[in-house]
Amino acid sequence: METVLELSGVTRCFGPVEVLHGIDLGLRAGEVHALIGENGAGKSTIMKILGGYLAPTEGQVLLDGSPAAFSSGPEAEARGVVVIHQEFNLAPDLTVADNIFLGREMTRGWRLDHAAMRRAAGDLLEELDTRIDPRARIRDLSVPDRQMVEIAKALSRNARVLIMDEPSAALTHREVDALYAQVDRLRAEGVALMFCSHRLDEVARLADRITVLRDGSVVSRATRGEMTEDQMATAMVGRELTDFFPPKDTLTGNVLLEVQDLSVPGAVDDASLTLHRGEVLGIAGLVGAGRTELAEAIAGLRPGSTGRMTVSGEAVPLADVRAAGRAGIAYLTEDRKEAGLLLTKPLTENLTLAALDRFGFRIDRAAEARAMDDATREFDIRAASPDMPAGALSGGNQQKLLLAKTMLTEPQIVLIDEPTRGIDVGTKRQIYAFIRRLAAEGHGIIVISSELPEVIGLADRVLVMRQGRIAGEVEGDVITEEGIVRLAMGVGADHHDAEHKNREPA
Amino acid sequence: MRRIDFHLLGPLIALIALIIIGALLNPAFLAPANLSNVLARSAFIGLIAVGMTFVITQGGLDLSVGSMAAFIAGITIMAMNALVPITGVNWGTIIIGMMVAMAGGLAAGLFNGALITRARIEPFIVTLGTMGIYRSLVTWLSDGGTLSLDSGLRTLYRPVYFSGIGWITWPIITFAIVAILGEWMMRHTRFGRHVEAIGSNDRVARYSAVDVEGVRLASYVLLGGLVGLATILYVPRLGSASGSTGVLWELEAIAAVIIGGTMLKGGTGRVWGTVVGVLILSMIDNILNLADLVSPYLNGAIQGVIIVLAVVLQREKRATDNR
């Protein structure tokens, strides 16, 4: 098969630091190419170079065999190279159809042909097996729907090369299936595809060719079937990954948190749960089952929630985040960038924001600096300087900073929502070990995760949510994917659906 | 490799350049009498702009401060005049008047803040509304004319604006103290840190258990209090208030904040920058009046250019940040 887009000996420096060392890489027509590696391995930089957003310091980008110096993303797009970024590139106040045809509007004379654009957008979305209304505003769409619009937009541009950064990270299992079907269809049509993903099962399912990056160099190449998921993980981190999950060896103590009939309007109905000292309680369920809403309600972040809640027997008022904080409840959001960290502020200011009252009326900067030093060591935060903005950290280090920030409030009960979303394998392991250590120290931990292996590997007990209710509980050795999926899908779910869910937890 | 950060120091360099230009154009510029005059006039806008820095940094805006000052000046004068038959012409009456001004400012700030944080209406809309309300009320109270302070009280009250320690008059001293306190609050207290956090991302602040609505409310009350303080110093200057008192003060205050390097979208506040911004604006005015190089009527145009330039500089800074 012919190579459409190629990197030849590409090196890239940021200032004095070389982050890519002589990369050779070819995207072929009708082939899906997966680029995998830990956070900071250079995946994003490669994608940006391929998509024309960055120029290589040395080496060349070749399109159809001849040097192509794209000066910008739009220029690359005009020549058939389209990148779908993780941060969506959509105008929130325009409609779906407007967005898909933004910059290439269909016209009739000098007027916009809204009807034709709506029809064409509708056809594209139908091909993607979604029910998104072309007239809907992006603002009103869920994250997965926005992702589908991004894909539809790329398809409408007749891409010859389609590059996707973590395309399934925000999708539910049904949409993931539609995405895979589209990938298969595009491959059959001769499009050259590339994606990067932290989900190795996805890589095994989709990729015809796999390139593994580590520290800015290609360390391994394989074609379909040549590499198991274990081998991919090993190649990425450069060491054997044994004992991925720490042993569940904590002794469970007395009841720490008791929640009775907690309801959040429109999201959670009459949820009750207990959490013990030293326990890791998992909450599983499909996206939209009310898991995040339940956790946020426990942390006092959901106005209008009703029910009863006690911590160590003391009643805690609901919908009052400061009262929950005083009772020792802390919540680690799944939305690091929008609700977790101030991306433009220095690391230190982020670290101490939730616990600022511990640093005196006149903020003690020296104490803050010490806290930052301690956190850097304890959580292994890899940062150039404590004064750098939090947004410049890699995803894994942002998550560690968020953990450090939460733990600085010295909570007894820690609710962690999607602890490892978008994080590389090595950092995942550190975070799992950390969660276990917190439990061993006598904290009560609630972990919400869409990745079933994570829930199963971490939790002593798992609550499964379905449509806003707690559908059931599994404990001990009976925590299996099957047990959880049955509860998550409802007992009457047909076998195919259940198996499907098994493969692709949303 | 440590380059001079022109974004940070730009306003300061501009101010120094202005002082040098002023001194070269007219030696009278640096005379104590002139400096005293310039600084004292800056004090009103300056006090308000310090409060405005907090409001803008937390992501808000207050357009009502000019009308608020006029309204407070109006009720303060009316209250003192009404008290003259009861308490007489003495400092007691003036102190009660000052308390009225302070209370009026705090109440007006609380009103703006409550509408914004409790009723959840956009700050622009709320303060556009109250701007009209206060302006109209003072015009109504003065019946379209001027409210004048009792002449005996005026004589007694005058020194509050016109005297002080040597040529450094009370308004200058007050402004300096408030500016130092404000800078300290922004940089070294929890309140300041929370204001910046809310302005950069209020959701992150809320998830970090910061009392977002409380801090926002407090910033408007603080601003209201400073408007009250500015009015206390303004009333003895003319001894009167009318429908045209404090017109466009809100825009001058906002302009000073922006020139000083605080971003209009919030998140980063620099009180010392605001002080520099206020001084730049009033010195341009003063220099144009002293030198006949350019018509003083072009003052607004030059100030406009400076405001736009300041924002352009901010934009360049952001582009470097994203690299």
Side-chain angles (χ1 to χ4, degrees):
Chain A
M1 275 172 289
E2 52 164 329
T3 303
V4 186
L5 188 63
E6 195 178 348
L7 294 184
S8 162
V10 162
T11 299
R12 171 73 206 193
C13 302
F14 288 110
V17 187
E18 189 175 290
V19 295
L20 288 181
H21 321 292
I23 303 285
D24 294 306
L25 194 78
L27 306 191
R28 295 161 211 234
E31 201 175 80
V32 178
H33 196 136
L35 188 61
I36 59 176
E38 289 191 283
N39 289 335
K43 292 173 307 214
S44 312
T45 313
I46 287 185
M47 293 198 156
K48 282 182 186 155
I49 290 174
L50 284 170
Y53 292 89
L54 276 180
T57 308
E58 279 168 44
Q60 281 185 319
V61 183
L62 305 168
L63 183 64
D64 300 320
S66 48
F70 302 133
S71 61
S72 68
E75 191 188 323
E77 221 165 86
R79 297 179 63 179
V81 179
V82 178
V83 180
I84 300 182
H85 300 276
Q86 231 177 322
E87 291 84 22
F88 303 140
N89 202 1
L90 299 170
D93 289 309
L94 297 187
T95 67
V96 170
D98 291 343
N99 266 286
I100 289 176
F101 292 100
L102 193 62
R104 303 167 307 123
E105 286 81 1
M106 296 181 180
T107 50
R108 218 167 42 198
W110 49 271
R111 288 186 313 126
L112 290 178
D113 191 347
H114 287 290
M117 283 192 283
R118 267 202 301 276
R119 246 190 335 271
D123 291 346
L124 278 166
L125 291 164
E126 204 163 299
E127 271 179 44
L128 287 170
D129 198 22
T130 65
R131 266 174 281 162
I132 302 168
D133 182 351
R135 286 166 300 185
R137 287 189 194 284
I138 298 294
R139 185 180 292 293
D140 301 327
L141 296 184
S142 66
V143 172
D145 282 353
R146 291 181 199 189
Q147 169 106 40
M148 287 321 241
V149 174
E150 275 279 15
I151 293 169
K153 187 173 152 188
L155 294 180
S156 77
R157 279 158 165 70
N158 297 321
R160 291 175 62 214
V161 179
L162 183 60
I163 298 168
M164 296 180 281
D165 192 1
E166 293 275 348
S168 64
L171 299 188
T172 66
H173 69 99
R174 207 184 109 243
E175 287 151 332
V176 166
D177 257 13
L179 173 70
Y180 290 177
Q182 281 312 308
V183 168
D184 291 338
R185 194 178 66 92
L186 292 169
R187 167 172 33 208
E189 284 178 7
V191 175
L193 292 124
M194 170 176 255
F195 73 103
C196 70
S197 175
H198 284 299
R199 289 161 70 165
L200 301 180
D201 55 340
E202 178 170 288
V203 173
R205 152 82 174 75
L206 286 178
D208 301 306
R209 196 173 290 274
I210 300 167
T211 298
V212 186
L213 282 180
R214 190 166 71 223
D215 300 330
S217 302
V218 175
V219 291
S220 188
R221 297 174 201 268
T223 53
R224 181 181 284 279
E226 283 181 356
M227 224 180 193
T228 65
E229 290 176 36
D230 278 347
Q231 286 167 329
M232 290 179 212
T234 308
M236 278 162 60
V237 292
R239 60 182 179 271
E240 288 289 334
L241 285 172
T242 48
D243 298 321
F244 199 75
F245 291 99
K248 301 178 188 176
D249 51 3
T250 326
L251 286 175
T252 300
N254 40 10
V255 173
L256 190 56
L257 169 74
E258 187 150 21
V259 174
Q260 281 174 321
D261 302 326
L262 184 62
S263 295
V264 178
V268 181
D269 291 317
D270 295 333
S272 299
L273 60 88
T274 50
L275 175 70
H276 303 84
R277 281 189 189 283
E279 183 180 39
V280 178
L281 176 66
I283 299 184
L286 304 179
V287 167
R291 299 168 307 171
T292 294
E293 291 82 355
L294 173 61
E296 291 191 353
I298 292 173
L301 286 163
R302 286 276 163 173
S305 44
T306 57
R308 280 186 306 282
M309 185 164 83
T310 58
V311 172
S312 305
E314 302 261 333
V316 179
L318 290 168
D320 182 343
V321 57
R322 271 171 299 286
R326 278 193 298 275
I329 302 174
Y331 170 70
L332 232 109
T333 172
E334 60 173 335
D335 196 349
R336 276 197 298 273
K337 289 175 196 286
E338 281 303 313
L341 297 173
L342 299 170
L343 299 179
T344 56
K345 294 280 175 198
L347 306 188
T348 311
E349 285 185 27
N350 272 287
L351 177 74
T352 56
L353 180 60
L356 216 47
D357 48 351
R358 284 162 205 265
F359 292 89
F361 176 72
R362 182 191 196 284
I363 296 170
D364 182 347
R365 302 247 169 163
E368 270 192 304
R370 277 196 302 279
M372 189 67 221
D373 276 351
D374 292 346
T376 308
R377 221 173 309 116
E378 192 184 344
F379 294 87
D380 187 32
I381 299 167
R382 295 182 195 166
S385 141
D387 300 322
M388 71 191 279
L393 290 178
S394 71
N397 283 309
Q398 283 183 7
Q399 185 71 354
K400 290 178 190 170
L401 177 63
L402 189 55
L403 253 172
K405 169 186 169 185
T406 309
M407 294 318 296
L408 200 61
T409 64
E410 296 178 6
Q412 303 183 61
I413 298 162
V414 190
L415 300 105
I416 311 180
D417 201 349
E418 301 291 358
T420 62
R421 174 174 286 172
I423 283 177
D424 64 75
V425 185
T427 310
K428 270 186 186 175
R429 216 160 57 133
Q430 288 183 314
I431 287 177
Y432 295 148
F434 185 76
I435 289 172
R436 260 296 144 194
R437 198 171 82 223
L438 285 183
E441 288 167 7
H443 294 88
I445 316 283
I446 295 180
V447 171
I448 296 171
S449 178
S450 297
E451 288 183 45
L452 284 185
E454 186 165 287
V455 178
I456 293 164
L458 273 177
D460 300 305
R461 197 154 58 91
V462 178
L463 296 178
V464 184
M465 290 192 73
R466 181 168 175 268
Q467 294 176 358
R469 292 178 177 278
I470 293 181
E473 181 178 327
V474 285
E475 194 172 355
D477 294 337
V478 294
I479 306 181
T480 59
E481 297 208 2
E482 198 188 338
I484 293 172
V485 166
R486 270 172 197 267
L487 288 167
M489 303 295 294
V491 185
D494 66 305
H495 183 67
H496 168 79
D497 226 348
E499 194 178 85
H500 168 93
K501 185 61 203 121
N502 223 337
R503 199 181 68 236
E504 267 315 318
Chain B
M1 178 180 78
R2 216 179 150 77
R3 274 173 36 238
I4 296 170
D5 187 343
F6 281 101
H7 173 66
L8 202 67
L9 295 179
L12 203 56
I13 294 168
L15 179 62
I16 293 167
L18 266 181
I19 294 173
I20 294 170
I21 292 169
L24 291 178
L25 286 177
N26 189 337
F29 176 74
L30 284 181
N34 184 54
L35 280 184
S36 174
N37 181 30
V38 174
L39 293 175
R41 281 156 161 268
S42 318
F44 312 127
I45 300 291
L47 287 169
I48 295 169
V50 168
M52 190 69 82
T53 309
F54 284 88
V55 166
I56 288 179
T57 302
Q58 57 89 345
L61 195 66
D62 192 338
L63 296 173
S64 71
V65 289
S67 318
M68 196 193 284
F71 175 63
I72 295 168
I75 56 169
T76 304
I77 289 169
M78 286 175 77
M80 285 193 283
N81 285 347
L83 278 171
V84 168
I86 307 161
T87 55
V89 176
N90 54 37
W91 274 102
T93 310
I94 290 172
I95 287 169
I96 294 174
M98 288 176 170
M99 277 157 46
V100 168
M102 213 53 215
L106 293 171
L110 187 70
F111 183 62
N112 278 340
L115 281 174
I116 290 160
T117 58
R118 301 290 181 256
R120 294 180 191 285
I121 309 170
E122 287 280 316
F124 187 95
I125 312 280
V126 167
T127 58
L128 189 64
T130 51
M131 172 170 101
I133 293 170
Y134 297 137
R135 178 67 61 203
S136 153
L137 282 176
V138 72
T139 313
W140 174 67
L141 288 175
S142 63
D143 205 12
T146 303
L147 287 162
S148 296
L149 187 60
D150 176 272
S151 63
L153 280 177
R154 201 187 296 191
T155 317
L156 200 58
Y157 200 171
R158 263 179 69 88
V160 170
Y161 178 80
F162 289 99
S163 72
I165 303 167
W167 61 269
I168 306 169
T169 56
W170 296 119
I172 302 174
I173 293 167
T174 314
F175 178 32
I177 292 172
V178 165
I180 290 166
L181 275 179
E183 172 71 13
W184 183 80
M185 257 168 64
M186 185 69 94
R187 288 172 67 91
H188 294 293
T189 67
R190 212 178 308 158
F191 177 67
R193 192 68 74 77
H194 284 173
V195 159
E196 288 200 323
I198 292 167
S200 36
N201 185 334
D202 58 345
R203 200 160 154 229
V204 172
R206 198 165 65 85
Y207 274 66
S208 305
V210 172
D211 183 0
V212 173
E213 306 306 331
V215 170
R216 288 210 153 126
L217 184 65
S219 75
Y220 287 102
V221 174
L222 173 70
L223 174 54
L226 288 173
V227 173
L229 189 58
T231 313
I232 288 173
L233 298 168
Y234 175 80
V235 169
R237 182 170 162 230
L238 297 177
S240 66
S242 72
S244 57
T245 300
V247 168
L248 292 185
W249 280 12
E250 62 282 339
L251 294 187
E252 281 191 49
I254 293 169
V257 172
I258 301 304
I259 291 171
T262 298
M263 295 212 188
L264 192 56
K265 70 182 167 66
T268 313
R270 273 209 289 274
V271 175
W272 70 262
T274 299
V275 173
V276 172
V278 169
L279 295 179
I280 287 177
L281 289 180
S282 50
M283 285 197 178
I284 290 173
D285 187 29
N286 183 247
I287 290 169
L288 292 186
N289 277 315
L290 288 180
D292 16 280
L293 215 58
V294 184
S295 161
Y297 294 130
L298 282 173
N299 181 13
I302 292 175
Q303 290 186 349
V305 169
I306 300 248
I307 293 165
V308 174
L309 261 180
V311 175
V312 169
L313 282 169
Q314 282 190 14
R315 177 128 30 105
E316 279 173 6
K317 174 68 172 15
R318 218 174 321 147
T320 354
D321 278 351
N322 288 342
R323 208 179 34 195

